Amino acid sequence: AKDGTPVTPDASAFSVSIDKQPAQVVSARPVRDDSLLFAVMVDMSKSEVPQEQAAKDATVKIFQALTNDQSQGYLVVFDVKAYPSNRPLQPAEVQSELDRIRFNGGTALYDSIEQITSGILSKSQNPGASRRVLIVLSDGDDNYSHVLMDKMEEGAERQSIPIFSLAEYASDGSQKGLDTLKQFARDTGGTAVVAKTMSDGVPALIAAIRGQSILSIEPTQPSNNKLHKLSVKTSDKSLSITAPANITIP
């Protein structure tokens, strides 16, 4: 719901079209009790030095909130490339790992996201994990990537991975990086949270992840490996829609 309260959605309240062709909505259900595989990407570039401790504290809180018997996550730190943990970590292990790193260097945000969505979170490496999300803690700046943002988004859409982000309001009033985070969260079906401090934003981030629902639909298009334009609307004004801009038809 718009206020962050988990709800059981009514399938009849939704209308879906694929490539502007109506698709039948078969069912809708919340996913808060489903198993979840997640990765938390922490920007350790030079521009994030002022937020270093805040980012580390927020990362631990995210792992504490999301890790349970059914859900587990990877820690990924990145600058000009991504450095994922070699296995999912427990919250106490995350704190230990973060204590060893220091922020510095450039930022390859798009390259790093592409590396993770096509790697440790990909469908091929996780055939049994139907629900996978990527969480990015960053200011949204990128000065080192070779992959363009639209190609990075396309990769996440092909892998059915929504991107959630957490950032602090820019002290200099700059909006460019924040607008970037909002765009790729919106285009992949995630949510961008911007708060005064990262810790302040963690509850809203967790609520957005837990508040997701899945719509089962029957498209008219045949199965293929192409991306198709998706539009999801609802007549229920208490709900907020976040859906990927494009999907594949399995």
Side-chain angles (χ1 to χ4, degrees):
K2 289 181 178 179
D3 62 0
T5 304
V7 297
T8 299
D10 179 0
S12 65
F14 296 92
S15 60
V16 176
S17 65
I18 298 176
D19 294 338
K20 298 184 179 181
Q21 299 297 315
Q24 181 182 355
V25 180
V26 178
S27 63
R29 66 174 183 83
V31 294
R32 56 182 175 268
D33 296 324
D34 289 10
S35 60
L36 171 68
L37 180 65
F38 64 93
V40 182
M41 288 182 53
V42 184
D43 185 345
M44 62 174 184
S45 63
K46 188 175 182 179
S47 65
E48 287 293 286
V49 169
Q51 288 80 41
E52 178 173 348
Q53 193 56 52
K56 291 179 177 180
D57 292 344
T59 300
V60 173
K61 289 181 179 180
I62 292 168
F63 270 86
Q64 290 172 336
L66 294 180
T67 304
N68 55 45
D69 291 341
Q70 295 190 88
S71 302
Q72 57 185 356
Y74 290 91
L75 173 65
V76 182
V77 295
F78 73 96
D79 44 32
V80 297
K81 67 173 293 186
Y83 306 91
S85 57
N86 57 16
R87 59 175 175 80
L89 301 179
Q90 293 298 310
E93 295 177 300
V94 172
Q95 182 68 72
S96 178
E97 290 294 319
L98 291 173
D99 286 343
R100 291 203 290 265
I101 68 170
R102 292 295 177 265
F103 288 26
N104 198 19
T107 313
L109 176 60
Y110 309 151
D111 284 3
S112 297
I113 291 176
E114 194 278 335
Q115 179 183 335
I116 299 307
T117 56
S118 65
I120 60 173
L121 287 186
S122 66
K123 294 176 183 178
S124 61
Q125 291 195 29
N126 303 281
S130 60
R131 189 172 181 227
R132 294 157 291 124
V133 304
L134 179 61
I135 303 164
V136 179
L137 277 63
S138 174
D139 58 10
D141 291 337
D142 190 315
N143 57 19
Y144 214 89
S145 285
H146 297 89
V147 175
L148 298 177
M149 188 171 75
D150 60 345
K151 292 299 182 183
M152 175 272 289
E153 287 183 355
E154 179 180 320
E157 290 168 341
R158 287 189 180 280
Q159 294 294 336
S160 302
I161 299 173
I163 302 174
F164 293 79
S165 63
L166 176 60
E168 295 184 358
Y169 289 108
S171 58
D172 61 359
S174 171
Q175 275 291 121
K176 183 178 180 181
L178 300 182
D179 288 344
T180 296
L181 296 174
K182 292 175 182 178
Q183 179 178 334
F184 64 63
R186 179 179 63 248
D187 290 348
T188 61
T191 300
V193 176
V194 183
K196 184 176 181 180
T197 69
M198 285 197 177
S199 288
D200 290 343
V202 170
L205 175 73
I206 299 302
I209 294 171
R210 288 178 173 165
Q212 285 188 301
S213 295
I214 287 181
L215 297 182
S216 295
I217 60 177
E218 289 185 357
T220 58
Q221 294 84 351
S223 300
N224 56 39
N225 292 320
K226 297 179 180 179
L227 284 173
H228 299 266
K229 293 289 184 182
L230 175 70
S231 174
V232 180
K233 298 179 181 179
T234 181
S235 59
D236 188 339
K237 295 183 179 179
S238 69
L239 299 178
S240 176
I241 298 293
T242 58
N246 302 282
I247 61 170
T248 58
I249 300 176

